[in-house]
Amino acid sequence: MSVTTTPPSTDVSLLADHDVESTYRSVNNVQLHVVAAGDPDAPLVVLLHGHPDFWYGWRDQIIPLVEAGFRVLVPDQRGCNLSDAPDGIDAYRLSKLSADVCELIHSEGRDSAHVVGHDFGGFVAWNVALRHPSIVDRLGILNVPHPTVYRETLTSSPQQIARSWYVWFYQLPKLPEWMLRRNGMDNMVSSLEITSNAGTFDEETIERYRAAWRHTGVHPRINWYRGFRRSDSPPRTTVPQPTLICWGKKDIALLPSMAKKSVDYCENGQLRMFPDASHWVHHERENVTEALLRHLSHSSPS
């Protein structure tokens, strides 16, 4: 596991003006750094980041959720920022990542929670809902398709195959690690800038991301994608929980047609498209936070 003697300042001190705390939870044989906020007895929401993100990617949603009456947990998923980074590709299979979320919810003394995921965190959220349906009250998904839709699209759409080039690249040995580490992780920075609208990530924010990446290194991040390729399909395909999918239509990596197809795999699904937003839709559109608040509060969408 990756260890440093002096942890970087990428804990909850980044939100020092708010009533939030960094905690550590031992779940599923790993220790996760988890940002926690809100009344411990309030309805629970778990926010799951993707790649190359860490908990800080949800900074614009944490306080609005707390103010709306929720308890919020935002983990650094395994291999990221201040959480443990176990060795081996199999440690990053979706079944392991999903089990982390289940045990995190149980660490709060809860049987279930609302679960919201973006990017790779969205794949984890889909998997929790499909593998452990009793754990998820309501599901929120940002810019990642239902796993069946993604798998089927990759076998039928040359356009999506081309857009998913990085998934295949990350399967190569050693070369991806070298590419992402070089020049102070400039390629990781580029992955933020290329996939977002201009101005989404300012220089101060980018430096915070660099600090998080340096702590655990890039190898665990790449193992997310290697573990993804080794993961078994969930035991069911239809999501029983009320589900909201928010999708930035200018996502350069994922076809927007997959968002519409994903709703068909939800018994009670809603889709909100944001035509001028990128893959980082929750950073770029306040309406995403508002839509999540309505969905998680059991209100009807506008």
Side-chain angles (χ1 to χ4, degrees), residues 42-79:
L44 181 61
V45 180
V46 177
L47 304 176
L48 302 173
H49 69 80
H51 174 79
D53 217 342
F54 66 114
W55 74 264
Y56 189 61
W58 291 106
R59 62 193 177 279
D60 293 331
Q61 285 71 46
I62 295 172
I63 303 308
L65 283 165
V66 169
E67 291 176 346
F70 293 101
R71 170 72 168 172
V72 181
L73 296 184
V74 194
D76 283 324
Q77 295 202 71
R78 60 168 63 195

Side-chain angles (χ1 to χ4, degrees), residues 36-297:
D39 183 345
D41 295 323
L44 181 61
V45 180
V46 177
L47 304 176
L48 302 173
H49 69 80
H51 174 79
D53 217 342
F54 66 114
W55 74 264
Y56 189 61
W58 291 106
R59 62 193 177 279
D60 293 331
Q61 285 71 46
I62 295 172
I63 303 308
L65 283 165
V66 169
E67 291 176 346
F70 293 101
R71 170 72 168 172
V72 181
L73 296 184
V74 194
D76 283 324
Q77 295 202 71
R78 60 168 63 195
C80 300
N81 192 32
L82 301 178
S83 289
D84 283 349
D87 295 327
I89 295 171
D90 289 343
Y92 298 89
R93 290 176 184 256
L94 282 166
S95 58
K96 293 286 183 68
L97 296 167
S98 300
D100 289 352
V101 176
C102 294
E103 292 197 19
L104 175 61
I105 291 168
H106 291 152
S107 77
E108 281 282 296
R110 308 296 186 93
D111 294 323
S112 63
H114 304 306
V115 179
V116 180
H118 169 250
D119 183 80
F120 212 112
F123 275 126
V124 177
W126 282 118
N127 271 263
V128 174
L130 293 167
R131 294 174 188 271
H132 311 281
S134 64
I135 287 283
V136 179
D137 297 325
R138 287 186 165 237
L139 182 66
I141 299 292
L142 309 184
N143 271 78
V144 78
H146 184 285
T148 300
V149 172
Y150 185 65
R151 184 173 62 252
E152 292 179 349
T153 304
L154 277 180
T155 62
S156 62
S157 170
Q159 187 179 6
Q160 185 56 55
I161 292 173
R163 289 190 182 203
S164 296
W165 66 270
Y166 57 93
V167 177
W168 321 118
F169 174 71
Y170 287 156
Q171 307 310 310
L172 298 173
K174 298 184 179 180
L175 180 60
E177 282 88 344
W178 177 80
M179 286 288 293
L180 295 188
R181 280 196 303 264
R182 64 193 298 267
N183 297 330
M185 301 189 181
D186 280 350
N187 281 310
M188 296 275 276
V189 174
S190 294
S191 71
L192 291 178
E193 295 177 336
I194 292 171
T195 59
S196 63
N197 285 335
T200 299
F201 296 97
D202 60 26
E203 191 57 38
E204 181 182 15
T205 299
I206 286 172
E207 288 309 308
R208 290 172 173 176
Y209 276 88
R210 285 187 198 269
W213 301 330
R214 282 193 295 265
H215 185 54
T216 48
V218 300
H219 187 63
R221 297 277 188 166
I222 294 169
N223 277 344
W224 275 23
Y225 286 91
R226 293 168 178 158
F228 178 75
R229 293 288 297 159
R230 293 189 182 187
S231 294
D232 297 327
S233 297
R236 57 181 58 79
T237 57
T238 301
V239 177
Q241 301 88 349
T243 303
L244 171 67
I245 301 172
C246 294
W247 198 282
K249 199 171 183 179
K250 291 177 67 176
D251 192 321
I252 67 169
L254 298 167
L255 294 173
S257 59
M258 291 194 291
K260 299 174 183 177
K261 292 177 182 177
S262 295
V263 177
D264 295 336
Y265 285 88
C266 304
E267 290 182 6
N268 180 6
Q270 307 164 23
L271 173 61
R272 289 287 307 274
M273 297 293 289
F274 295 83
D276 297 323
S278 75
H279 180 73
W280 300 90
V281 62
H282 57 312
H283 290 258
E284 297 172 358
R285 296 292 179 270
E286 291 183 7
N287 289 350
V288 173
T289 303
E290 295 168 3
L292 285 172
L293 289 172
R294 285 194 297 270
H295 174 61
L296 300 180
S297 299

